[in-house]
Amino acid sequence: MAEAPRCRRVGILGYGQLGQFLAGQLLAEGPRVGLALAFVWARDSACLGALPPPLRLPHLRLLPHTAVDLVVEVAHPCVAQQHGKEILAHADFMLGSPTALADPDTERRLRAAAERGGHTLYVPRGALWGCEDIQRMDVAGTLAALKVTMTKAPQSFRLEGALRERLAAVAAGAAPAVLYEGPVRPLCALAPNNVNTMAAACVAAPRLGFDGVHARLVADPSVPGWHVVEVEVTGVGEQGRALRVTSTRRNPATPGAVTGMATRDAFWSSLLACRGHGGCVQLC
């Protein structure tokens, strides 16, 4: 009698809203789809108290001893910047914070590590609607411009530096305010938890990349229960005649939450697609 195939072992880095959801899905649904929760790690280990001790990973240096097949990061881009290279030496890696790739050195190191180790660096699409179409146009050389506008209530932003000061200045008002407009790359360091969808767009359209994809970040007090993502695609054309596509995604969100409700399901779908594609970078 043939042995049943071994479940693919998945480790979760981060135990916030997304980490808790994914860990719960792996425990409840994982065996049915050939997945098992190997461990959960968090920057603050105190938040793991509700998990059985065998599922708590106290330090990332222990990861090579876990026989893990896929590591899913849903914590902060600093995790990939500091540990991504080592993770890819042992397992496939789903990068839930692709804003980490806005740092050219981090992107080079992670791409090289994936190729060298034969493991896949996965980038989830998150809230990016039309991801496959954007990717096809980029490959064909028919994508001329890509703009992503993200609109959230002021309390849903986690910003750094000058953007934090800008948000504080406009938060008391009632009208929408543009916090940033320009290329995605410099924005990633200022809003590392909020603009992963924009970073995913840069990975989907590498000809434009982090310097060519246009970002617009808007704080709007009138949408406390929504995260709105508008994607504008412009194709190559002549004499002002070119393909233009605009999509608007309205994601329900708990007031003040960084992650919208539908994004949890999108991440679970992305996780299910991480079945090993070799030493490359793969959107999922």
Side-chain angles (χ1 to χ4, degrees):
M1 184 174 179
E3 286 187 19
R6 182 179 75 89
C7 281
R8 187 164 162 82
R9 288 169 55 79
V10 182
I12 304 293
L13 307 184
Y15 204 55
Q17 181 183 355
L18 268 178
Q20 292 175 38
F21 174 78
L22 294 175
Q25 286 290 98
L26 285 166
L27 290 171
E29 302 291 334
R32 182 179 62 81
V33 293
L35 299 173
L37 180 62
F39 64 78
V40 180
W41 172 89
R43 290 187 291 169
D44 178 8
S45 60
C47 72
L48 302 178
L51 287 171
L55 291 179
R56 305 177 206 162
L57 187 71
H59 198 285
L60 285 180
R61 66 171 175 268
L62 300 174
L63 187 147
H65 306 291
T66 61
V68 70
D69 300 293
L70 171 68
V71 176
V72 178
E73 176 276 316
V74 284
H76 189 276
C78 69
V79 176
Q81 291 165 346
Q82 296 170 10
H83 304 284
K85 178 182 173 182
E86 291 73 22
I87 291 169
L88 282 163
H90 300 282
D92 293 334
F93 185 28
M94 179 172 143
L95 181 56
S97 302
T99 50
L101 301 177
D103 174 60
D105 182 59
T106 298
E107 181 175 14
R108 281 192 298 269
R109 284 189 288 108
L110 294 186
R111 286 182 179 272
E115 184 176 356
R116 184 169 54 250
H119 294 115
T120 309
L121 176 63
Y122 288 100
V123 177
R125 71 198 66 196
L128 181 63
W129 202 254
C131 180
E132 290 86 356
D133 297 294
I134 292 168
Q135 193 172 28
R136 291 190 194 103
M137 289 180 69
D138 183 85
V139 169
T142 59
L143 180 64
L146 178 59
K147 179 180 179 180
V148 182
T149 299
M150 300 185 71
T151 302
K152 300 181 181 184
Q155 62 267 33
S156 290
F157 288 109
R158 305 291 184 269
L159 305 177
E160 304 291 338
L163 276 195
R164 179 187 291 178
E165 297 172 10
R166 168 70 176 150
L167 179 65
V170 304
V178 176
L179 301 175
Y180 177 90
E181 186 154 8
V184 173
R185 190 181 302 278
L187 177 59
C188 288
L190 297 171
N193 298 109
N194 287 114
V195 298
N196 286 302
T197 296
M198 294 177 175
C202 298
V203 176
R207 290 173 185 257
L208 294 173
F210 284 88
D211 296 306
V213 176
H214 192 82
R216 190 167 183 265
L217 204 62
V218 180
D220 187 349
S222 73
V223 291
W226 298 92
H227 294 175
V228 184
V229 179
E230 185 176 42
V231 179
E232 300 175 55
V233 176
T234 304
V236 173
E238 296 179 358
Q239 299 177 342
R241 293 172 58 84
L243 172 71
R244 291 183 179 274
V245 180
T246 300
S247 67
T248 301
R249 182 181 189 269
R250 293 177 58 86
N251 187 359
T254 303
V258 173
T259 304
M261 296 175 184
T263 303
R264 298 179 306 174
D265 295 321
F267 264 71
W268 176 243
S269 295
S270 292
L271 193 159
L272 293 176
C274 297
R275 295 290 178 170
H277 289 75
C280 64
V281 178
Q282 179 80 20
L283 283 159
C284 61

